[in-house]
Amino acid sequence: MSDKKNNLKWQVRIYGTEKDKVNCSFYFKIGACRHGERCSRKHVKPNFSQTILIANIYQNPAHEPNCTLTEAQLQEHFELFYEDMYVEMCKYGEVEELNVCDNVGDHLLGNVYVMFKFEEDAGKAVEALNDRFFAGRPVWAELSPVTDFGEACCRQYENSECNRGGLCNFMHLKTVSRSLRRELAEAQRASLKMNKPEGGDRDGDRGGRDRDDDRDRDRDRDRRRGSGRDDRDDRRRR
């Protein structure tokens, strides 16, 4: 019995790390893998998550061979896209983070990750978005296992030291001006305050009906976050 317990503890500890020979650590951290369906390890898709992935939706003009836009024009183009995307996501629920990848690898190219405050809003967004089109192309969205963008992002890139460029397998996130971030956050707060139901907030309205589910989800998230800490050196190995 003790051997089984020790084996279970070991499996929980290494889940989603480089030591886990069953589950893909890259998909676990980033919600995407360069091997795709050909990966030798499992891509465990979550049944619930605060985070969604909208794949390959941002079309960066800088990646076009004949691009003549200046850096200022490219940033303006991106921030218009970011604002449109943020406003659209707020229709489904409270947005905590919205990140856009600047990588050029097929599995990360143009990816947008949105973290909502509530898991049910993320699920609602995925269901609605998969019936939508953007810039004439169908939108493809799914729940993502990403819980910590600090683990998903390339630290060398953040320090201007990444030598893999856009082909890096960790997220290279595009930068949004502080003024735009502040403007969007303030607009969302004002909207939430205006639409807040009388007699309490949404957290209180949920009451006890979801407490058991929440405890299970919290344990699962803790396990995922904990295993990520044991595997910080993955980014140097691939």
Side-chain angles (χ1 to χ4, degrees), residues 154-162:
C154 175
R155 294 174 188 172
Q156 285 81 11
Y157 175 75
E158 293 173 352
N159 296 324
S160 302
E161 297 174 354
C162 181

Side-chain angles (χ1 to χ4, degrees), residues 15 17 43 75 103 190 210 217:
Y15 179 81
T17 70
H43 293 176
Q75 185 64 21
N103 306 64
D210 293 330
R217 293 171 183 179

Side-chain angles (χ1 to χ4, degrees), residues 99-113:
N99 293 306
V100 182
C101 289
D102 200 28
N103 306 64
V104 298
D106 289 342
H107 62 301
L108 289 173
L109 179 66
N111 283 3
V112 172
Y113 292 82

Side-chain angles (χ1 to χ4, degrees), residues 25-31 146 148 151-152 170 228 231-232 234:
S25 62
F26 266 79
Y27 182 80
F28 176 77
K29 287 183 177 180
I30 305 172
V146 175
D148 184 349
E151 285 292 325
F170 284 88
D231 200 32
R232 294 179 189 274
D234 279 359

Side-chain angles (χ1 to χ4, degrees), residues 12-229:
V12 170
R13 182 180 177 186
I14 68 170
Y15 179 81
T17 70
E18 185 66 18
K19 295 176 183 178
D20 187 346
K21 302 304 180 183
V22 177
N23 302 292
C24 177
S25 62
F26 266 79
Y27 182 80
F28 176 77
K29 287 183 177 180
I30 305 172
C33 168
R34 64 189 175 96
H35 300 295
E37 297 300 324
R38 295 176 287 106
C39 185
S40 61
R41 301 181 186 182
K42 289 183 179 179
H43 293 176
V44 181
K45 298 182 182 294
N47 294 319
F48 52 83
S49 177
Q50 291 174 255
T51 306
I52 71 170
L53 161 65
I54 310 173
N56 310 126
I57 192 169
Y58 177 57
Q59 304 293 299
N60 190 345
H63 296 160
E64 298 174 5
N66 298 320
C67 177
T68 59
L69 298 180
T70 65
E71 287 296 323
Q73 290 171 328
L74 288 170
Q75 185 64 21
E76 181 181 7
H77 176 276
F78 168 64
E79 295 204 349
L80 286 172
F81 167 84
Y82 187 95
E83 182 176 3
D84 286 346
M85 187 63 58
Y86 192 99
V87 170
E88 187 66 27
M89 293 302 103
C90 286
K91 295 178 182 179
Y92 303 109
E94 185 174 350
V95 173
E96 292 192 336
E97 286 192 62
L98 192 153
N99 293 306
V100 182
C101 289
D102 200 28
N103 306 64
V104 298
D106 289 342
H107 62 301
L108 289 173
L109 179 66
N111 283 3
V112 172
Y113 292 82
V114 187
M115 179 177 282
F116 291 90
K117 182 175 182 180
F118 297 107
E119 291 169 348
E120 52 263 43
D121 290 337
K124 183 170 59 177
V126 167
E127 185 176 353
L129 289 169
N130 282 320
D131 290 330
R132 301 281 300 278
F133 282 77
F134 181 82
R137 301 186 306 132
V139 174
W140 186 77
E142 68 175 10
L143 294 175
S144 172
V146 175
T147 58
D148 184 349
F149 286 101
E151 285 292 325
C153 293
C154 175
R155 294 174 188 172
Q156 285 81 11
Y157 175 75
E158 293 173 352
N159 296 324
S160 302
E161 297 174 354
C162 181
N163 56 16
R164 297 183 181 89
L167 293 173
C168 181
N169 286 317
F170 284 88
M171 293 183 191
H172 288 191
L173 299 183
K174 290 191 67 63
T175 304
V176 183
S177 65
R178 291 183 180 179
S179 58
L180 178 58
R181 282 190 184 276
R182 184 169 56 250
E183 179 184 337
L184 293 173
E186 289 174 353
Q188 178 175 235
R189 282 195 295 270
S191 177
L192 290 169
K193 186 176 181 180
M194 185 182 304
N195 296 321
K196 184 177 180 180
E198 295 182 6
D201 58 21
R202 183 172 174 182
D203 288 311
D205 292 341
R206 296 173 72 198
R209 72 181 189 273
D210 293 330
R211 285 175 186 164
D212 290 339
D213 288 343
D214 287 345
R215 279 195 290 269
D216 291 340
R217 293 171 183 179
D218 288 342
R219 280 196 294 269
D220 186 54
R221 261 197 303 277
D222 289 342
R223 180 183 68 175
R224 287 186 286 172
R225 286 170 175 166
S227 63
R229 297 188 189 101

